[in-house]
Amino acid sequence: MKRIILRLIGRGIADLALDPAGTVGALCAVTLTSFLAGLFFMLLTTLDIRLSTARGESIFQIYWREGVNMELVRRQWQEYVHLPGFRSVRTYTPEQALEELGRRIGRAGGELDKSFPFLAVNAPLPATALVALSPTGPDPERWFEETLTYFRTQHGVARVTAAPLQDEFARAWKRVGNYVLWPAAVLLLLAQALSVGNTVRLAVRAKEHEIEILQLAGACNWYIRLPLAAGSAALGLAGGLCSLALLLLLQDRLGEALNFPPLSLRLHFPSARIVAALLLTQALTSALAGILAVRK
Amino acid sequence: MIRVRRLSHSFGADPVLKDVSFSLEKGDFVFLSGPSGAGKTTLLRILYAALPLQAGEVTVAGINLSRLPASRVPLLRRQVGVVFQDFKVLPRRSVEQNIALPLEIRGLAPKHIARRVMAVSRALGLQDRIRLKCGELSGGEQQRVAIARAFVVNPKVLLADEPTGNLDRELAYRLMELFKQFQAYGATVLFATHSEDLMRRHPGAYFMRLEKGRITAADWPGAGVFTGGAERIAGRDAGGRTARLYPAGRPGRAGPAFPDERLPPDGSLSADERLLPDLPRQRR
Ligand SMILES: Nc1ncnc2c1ncn2[C@@H]1O[C@H](COP(=O)(O)OP(=O)(O)O)[C@@H](O)[C@H]1O
Ligand SMILES: [Mg+2]
């Protein structure tokens, strides 16, 4: 019995080679469908990770007055590291700011100096710092106001801008994220299952002639369906793996393409759990479609 | 072997078979003749349970079709070989795989299968073709593969639905010889054809004529090529009809009561002993 079952499974997979054109067509369809599903998950994951890491983080941009004592400013910068809820700090001396500006414009800072020698001398850009902090205490809004005041009242500071918005959005995402993510995932898997299932069903329908002959020769149900299920599952799994390869390629090529300000978006691969769910759905629905495609 | 009593069948409001009764014993070879549209295919399809039994009683190879659940249909199919006008072979698989199919379905060991397939393909003159794909064969060869596939399990009943309809006359005559071999091994053969020509070639054969869903004639005049046995001739009634062929509307002549045979156990081809002995080489 075990021998027969193994043989039937083997035959189902081997039979994929009987109709190479049909198999390749079905494989492409299955691959594309799961690729699209995977891509959507990838974007969703990226968004989720981005918003989760930004969660509870406010960025304060602090500008000092021109001509302020840089020694003093540097000492202030060093203190930021010890602030409660500290996450990161980026600082620019006027010279660094100039250099950064030059890079952004596309020329080396030195050349910029040569082209605009007065810039180097007069350093028109103020000293700047970007401080990212997480809220501490029970009331983030009060914390935000207090922190803002703290930076504003520091010695030599001209003005402070801050974006509480990102923080709000992140907190909003934290609230609804799970309500969006999981239904979307389920819907997506459902859509994937339906379209993959339909593709497989059509592929099996092409074998109706063979199925009829098997039935006439006295084959029982499972004898007919097992190879179809095995072949379909193999097809679904192969399609899933192909789409995974495509996604990896995509991430490799485009993963960093959007990683520049102000987007700073790095593509994240879906979690192993989601990848496994995708593959499993694919294989199971394919197998199921293979089984259900047989009409009595 | 085949008992049909008061069988009627209709597609929608369209009656196709009307009150058909007859009975065939082991070893009978009967032509089922009649113009096309008479209901021959419908009758055969009911006999191999491709159509549900609507009215009447049918027993094939000891299996009562009126009480046959869908899950038991494969058991019936294993007793009944079917050959069609359009061959129904698997074009992408080899001759060998096609013939081995019913044996594999029965779960026989590969070495028995190989032996049996070899014997049958030799008997049907297919031994040189065994590795070719069926799609590469001529129509006559494909039909021979289909016959071999029916033959290979030594069925109790063989139903043939115009199996020579797509072939030229010469080929048809040669294939007829193969069908006679079935009978020689004890199968009951019901051979549907609308070809008067084929029947004229076998003047002694039993036949049953179906017209507009009714049996209008049924006879086996004298000892023919396919006589099934002396007691059959003794059973002839005055009207030239036999005791075992019941013209429509005369179910009173049903003869023996319906035996309520139980379904045979699964794997009807229980052991190798039940396989055919080595078959004689077919002359071509
Ligand atoms: N599946 C079906 N649905 C409706 N009508 C059918 C079907 N099969 C056969 N018929 C009708 O039943 C009649 C008998 O058909 P058939 O049994 O194929 O005749 P034969 O085989 O003697 O040529 C025909 O009129 C045909 O149109
Ligand atoms: Mg017909």
Side-chain angles (χ1 to χ4, degrees), chain B residues 120-133:
Chain B
V120 170
S121 49
R122 232 182 279 122
L124 299 201
L126 285 166
Q127 69 271 33
D128 309 329
R129 300 277 188 277
I130 203 118
R131 306 241 172 264
L132 291 181
K133 290 215 160 63

Side-chain angles (χ1 to χ4, degrees), chain B residues 35-42 44 85 161-162 192 194:
Chain B
S36 62
K40 304 185 292 296
T41 299
T42 306
L44 293 185
Q85 179 168 6
D161 195 359
E162 314 222 14
H194 67 264

Side-chain angles (χ1 to χ4, degrees), chain B residues 11 14 16 34-43 45 51 161-162 210:
Chain B
F11 293 110
D14 226 9
V16 174
S36 62
K40 304 185 292 296
T41 299
T42 306
L43 173 59
R45 287 178 51 132
L51 284 174
D161 195 359
E162 314 222 14
L210 204 61

Side-chain angles (χ1 to χ4, degrees), chain B residues 108-283:
Chain B
L108 267 77
K111 74 166 192 271
H112 295 314
I113 293 179
R115 239 192 4 241
R116 183 84 190 125
V117 168
M118 219 36 234
V120 170
S121 49
R122 232 182 279 122
L124 299 201
L126 285 166
Q127 69 271 33
D128 309 329
R129 300 277 188 277
I130 203 118
R131 306 241 172 264
L132 291 181
K133 290 215 160 63
C134 272
E136 298 166 1
L137 302 180
S138 70
E141 286 170 329
Q142 289 193 23
Q143 191 60 299
R144 246 183 300 151
V145 172
I147 294 170
R149 191 179 58 205
F151 209 3
V152 78
V153 287
N154 197 12
K156 290 181 179 158
V157 171
L158 181 78
L159 304 173
D161 195 359
E162 314 222 14
T164 57
N166 278 353
L167 306 173
D168 63 51
R169 193 185 293 184
E170 242 345 277
L171 220 46
Y173 294 156
R174 270 199 271 153
L175 283 179
M176 277 307 296
E177 298 305 310
L178 298 180
F179 282 102
K180 281 201 272 176
Q181 285 199 16
F182 269 104
Q183 191 200 15
Y185 283 100
T188 302
V189 184
L190 187 55
F191 190 111
T193 179
H194 67 264
S195 159
E196 299 291 333
D197 180 55
L198 203 63
M199 289 179 55
R200 229 175 284 126
R201 292 267 303 199
H202 302 278
Y206 302 173
F207 79 94
M208 180 161 71
R209 187 164 176 79
L210 204 61
E211 274 171 300
K212 294 188 179 146
R214 285 184 196 281
I215 295 179
T216 53
D219 205 0
W220 54 82
V225 193
F226 304 118
T227 37
E231 93 279 4
R232 217 67 45 92
I233 293 166
R236 283 178 68 170
D237 69 14
R241 295 190 171 112
T242 77
R244 286 200 171 81
L245 287 167
Y246 306 112
R250 294 170 69 185
R253 292 164 159 270
F258 260 66
D260 231 338
E261 285 113 331
R262 307 185 58 158
L263 291 174
D266 200 354
S268 54
L269 211 75
S270 52
D272 267 323
E273 305 87 74
R274 288 205 43 200
L275 294 176
L276 290 174
D278 263 4
L279 300 161
R281 208 170 249 274
Q282 170 74 12
R283 265 172 294 147

